[in-house]
Structure formats: C-alpha cells, structure tokens
Amino acid sequence: MDTTTDPMWDTIIVGGGAAGLTAGVVLARAQFTTLVVDGGEPRNGPAEHMHGYLTRDGMAPKEFLATGQDEFIRYGGSLVRGSVSDARRAQDGTFELRLDDDRVLWARSVLVATGLTDELPDIPGLAERWASEVHHCPHCHGYEVRGRAIAVIGGAMAAVSAHLAALMRRYSSSVTFCVNGAEVGAAERRRLTAYGVRLVDARVTRVATNDGTGDGTSDGTTFDDPVVIELDDGGTVACEAVFVAPRPVPHDAILTALGAGRDPAGGLVAVDPHGATDVPGLWAAGNVVNPRAQVVTAAGAGSVAAINMTAWLLDRELSAAAQADGPDAGSAI
C-alpha cells in the first residue's frame, strides 16, 4: 500500500478503550486531527456488565465502546482497526508507527492506551470461566455476588490475594481462601481467620463445573453450588463465585520501543501526573501504566492526558507561527 500521501496527524492514539476514546474525544473537540488505532480486544471484553462508572453502571462493555466510538467519530476523529507492530521517533521529534498490515502512519504526538493482559494462575478450568464464574475485581463484581459462597484462589500476587480474600468478606459470610502456595505470613493468616475467612492450604488442581453428583464436598457445602474447586489433597471447595488476583502484564512494547523510561520501584513505564512519559510528545494512560485503573479511572486519565497534549501541541504551533513570522513578530509598531 502506498503511504506517501498519508497525513501527518496531530496525534495518534494507540488503543481504543476507555482511556483512548476519551482522549480522542477531547483532542478532536479541540480541533486537532486525531486518529485512534484499535485492535478490537478490550481487557473487559468478556464481561457482560461494567460497574463503578456514574450513569453507566451495568452497561455492557461492548455497548460502552460502541457509544464512545460514535461520539469520537461525530467530533471528526478517525478510527482504524489494527495493531502497531513497530514504532520509532524521527530526529525532528515526530513519530512513525507501522501497523501489522504494513500501513505506515505519522504523528506529531502519540498517546499509548493499549491496556494489559490478566495472566491467570495455570489452573485447568480457570481461564474457561473467566468473566463468568471467575472474576478479579471486587469493586466491579463483588456486589453482584453478595451473600453467596465465594472462593478466592491465591496466586503470584500474594499480598493482593490476601487483601482480596479479606475484602470479599465484606460481601459474604462464606469466604474460603484457597492459599494455593501464596506466601501469606502468620500474622496475616490470624487477621483473616479472625475476620471470618476460612483458609485452605492445599494446592488447587482444577476448577470445574458442578455435575450435581454426590452429597456434598469436603468443606461441608452442598452440590447446589455451581463451581467446584478441586484440591491436591483430594478435597474440594464448592462455591458460587471465584475471585483471583491475576498478574498484570502491560502492553507497553510501543512505549519501550520509543524509549520511554520505567519506574525503578514498580517496573511500569513512568508517567507524570498528566500522563506524559520522559519522551517529548509521548503520553500513556489507562491500564498500560496503571493496572488497577477501572473503566472510570482510565477514562479520567485519558482526559487528563489529552488536555495536556492540547497544551503541548498548541505551544509548538505558537512557536512555529512566531518563527515563520520573522524575528520581529509581536513587536510594537
């Protein structure tokens, strides 16, 4: 495909989720030429509903994104399907992005809002039930399973797993924490037990759908519960909902390819309060730099970044206009 006639965009946003589309609307409304490149695989795509977003509570993520795309396009924004396979920054400070279909795009500024992947513990049956019986965010899904039998499976994020088990006790009197090898100290174990969380130390071998056979499970619950967690000691835990703390894997390859530095403490690509990286003209927002961000948080971060980007772009336009007008521009006559 001949790309020589492609425009130099004021900004290209990589990722069309809550952060990317919100930023796109802000920039498009400010009359900057704005392109969103989106691969069409949002983090919350498998979920049926989203929560915690005022006036959008219970809305399906697919409906939310479709509405956001319509708003963005209505303000003059452009949207293309695709993924960025390579990125570089030219000597003049502009950016070149190559898509997976070999299209090449250029921009004065870039916002990366590519999100992350939730890496689940390698337990058979867990991934198949992701976003149906298995969840990770209590603030997104805890209310919907309140009062039910809940199991929390420990993972690599040990401290988060223990916190999750405690928090789920706010929603239910029946919470079992399958520690599953997570490093939980004696003091934290005492706190959880005193708070009413039941701890099970056996390793989880499988998460299965209850087949309705037998009189009950080793923890005393009956097979009325739809999910059965199988343990390596032969025991089982039946429940109605499973929560797990996955390891977040940010999609930050574009940011690192463009030279953005990482925060030594957390390992994530570092951004300032406005979403700016240490590379001039490069911003990031949403889960790619904040794994704990909910939809509303990501949208807010996208708005903050976009407002900062308009100031950055405007400043360069002002400087370019003054330079083009000559050394006496702005002087009194």
Side-chain angles (χ1 to χ4, degrees):
M1 178 179 179
D2 182 10
T3 60
T4 57
T5 59
D6 284 1
M8 172 69 72
W9 297 90
D10 288 327
T11 188
I12 293 177
I13 299 169
V14 187
L21 287 174
T22 300
V25 169
V26 172
L27 286 156
R29 281 174 55 87
Q31 304 297 288
F32 289 104
T33 58
T34 307
L35 174 70
V36 169
V37 179
D38 182 56
E41 296 182 357
R43 179 188 185 189
N44 64 352
E48 294 183 1
H49 307 98
M50 49 176 266
H51 298 279
Y53 199 134
L54 197 63
T55 77
R56 296 293 180 267
D57 189 73
M59 192 176 193
K62 291 181 180 179
E63 181 185 355
F64 174 80
L65 293 179
T67 302
Q69 290 169 4
D70 290 343
E71 289 181 5
F72 172 60
I73 293 170
R74 188 167 71 242
Y75 285 116
S78 297
L79 176 68
V80 298
R81 289 294 182 196
S83 301
V84 174
S85 60
D86 191 25
R88 72 179 188 91
R89 187 167 180 263
Q91 289 186 346
D92 64 358
T94 58
F95 298 89
E96 178 184 304
L97 305 180
R98 182 176 294 276
L99 304 189
D100 50 3
D101 61 2
D102 285 335
R103 279 179 291 177
V104 179
L105 306 169
W106 294 270
R108 298 163 60 199
S109 63
V110 169
L111 170 66
V112 176
T114 42
L116 60 77
T117 293
D118 292 298
E119 188 176 88
L120 298 171
D122 187 16
I123 299 172
L126 198 64
E128 292 87 338
R129 291 164 177 79
W130 183 242
S132 54
E133 291 104 349
V134 177
H135 312 281
H136 81 285
C137 177
H139 303 290
C140 303
H141 304 290
Y143 185 86
E144 281 61 45
V145 297
R146 67 195 185 282
R148 303 179 187 176
I150 298 170
V152 176
I153 299 177
M157 310 289 288
V160 181
S161 297
H163 172 75
L164 182 57
L167 187 54
M168 293 317 301
R169 183 64 180 80
R170 300 289 307 167
Y171 297 96
S172 172
S173 61
S174 176
V175 177
T176 300
F177 181 20
C178 300
V179 181
N180 193 42
E183 297 182 4
V184 182
E188 187 63 15
R189 285 171 173 266
R190 284 194 298 272
R191 284 170 20 117
L192 288 169
T193 301
Y195 200 55
V197 176
R198 175 174 175 265
L199 274 67
V200 173
D201 280 307
R203 292 271 186 171
V204 175
T205 58
R206 189 167 75 109
V207 177
T209 299
N210 173 20
D211 62 7
T213 62
D215 297 324
T217 62
S218 61
D219 67 345
T221 55
T222 69
F223 277 119
D224 292 336
D225 298 316
V227 180
V228 176
I229 297 173
E230 300 177 1
L231 307 173
D232 66 356
D233 65 357
T236 54
V237 174
C239 60
E240 295 175 88
V242 178
F243 281 78
V244 63
R247 187 174 76 89
V249 182
H251 301 158
D252 57 12
I254 299 169
L255 292 165
T256 55
L258 293 172
R262 295 185 181 276
D263 179 359
L268 298 170
V269 169
V271 293
D272 71 10
H274 305 289
T277 70
D278 57 1
V279 177
L282 179 63
W283 280 260
N287 287 145
V288 68
V289 289
N290 181 6
R292 298 184 68 179
Q294 292 183 285
V295 177
V296 65
T297 317
S303 177
V304 170
I307 291 171
N308 192 246
M309 293 171 76
T310 64
W312 188 87
L313 289 163
L314 178 62
D315 181 70
R316 275 144 188 79
E317 289 186 353
L318 287 167
S319 297
Q323 184 176 5
D325 207 28
D328 296 328
S331 62
I333 298 176

